[in-house]
């Protein structure tokens, strides 16, 4: 599998994610990770700046809007591959899955 840079927000202002999770780095940044059904690819967002768990909508540092479709889950073949690559590139050696905590507290 390949990993490539995201297209500009002006070109793709909104993305639907399925089998999504919210992962937190030791720095406290949280990222959306999941499967992008329109492209058949995995996706890792930039850091989340706003998250509405009731509406299932997240806004990231880049300004992109993510629509969380369906239940959370692990997009093992696609999302996790992109996340592991993102972690290697960004020198993140550990992280926490905070999805359930955020769902329970919403």
């Amino acid at each position: 599998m390949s990993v490539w840079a995201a297209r500009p927000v002006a070109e793709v202002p909104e993305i639907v994610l399925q089998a999504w999770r919210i992962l937190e780095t030791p720095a406290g940044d949280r990222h959306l990770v999941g499967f992008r059904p329109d492209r058949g690819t995995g996706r890792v967002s930039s850091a989340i700046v706003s998250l509405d768990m009731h509406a299932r909508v997240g806004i990231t540092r880049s300004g992109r809007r993510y629509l969380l479709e369906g239940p959370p889950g692990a997009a093992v073949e696609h999302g996790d591959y992109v996340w592991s690559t993102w972690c290697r590139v960004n020198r993140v050696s550990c992280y926490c899955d905070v999805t359930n905590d955020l769902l329970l507290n919403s």
Side-chain angles (χ1 to χ4, degrees), residues 8 13 15 18 26-27 31 38 52-53 60 63 83 90 92 98 100 105:
I15 291 176
Q18 295 176 342
H31 299 267
D38 64 323
D52 182 338
M53 291 304 288
T60 63
W83 176 250
N90 290 282
V92 171
V98 296
N100 288 335
N105 293 319

Side-chain angles (χ1 to χ4, degrees), residues 22-25 28-32 45-48 51 98 102:
I22 301 163
L23 304 179
E24 183 175 281
T25 68
D29 291 335
R30 292 176 174 169
H31 299 267
L32 296 164
S45 74
S46 58
I48 299 168
L51 185 61
V98 296
L102 293 173

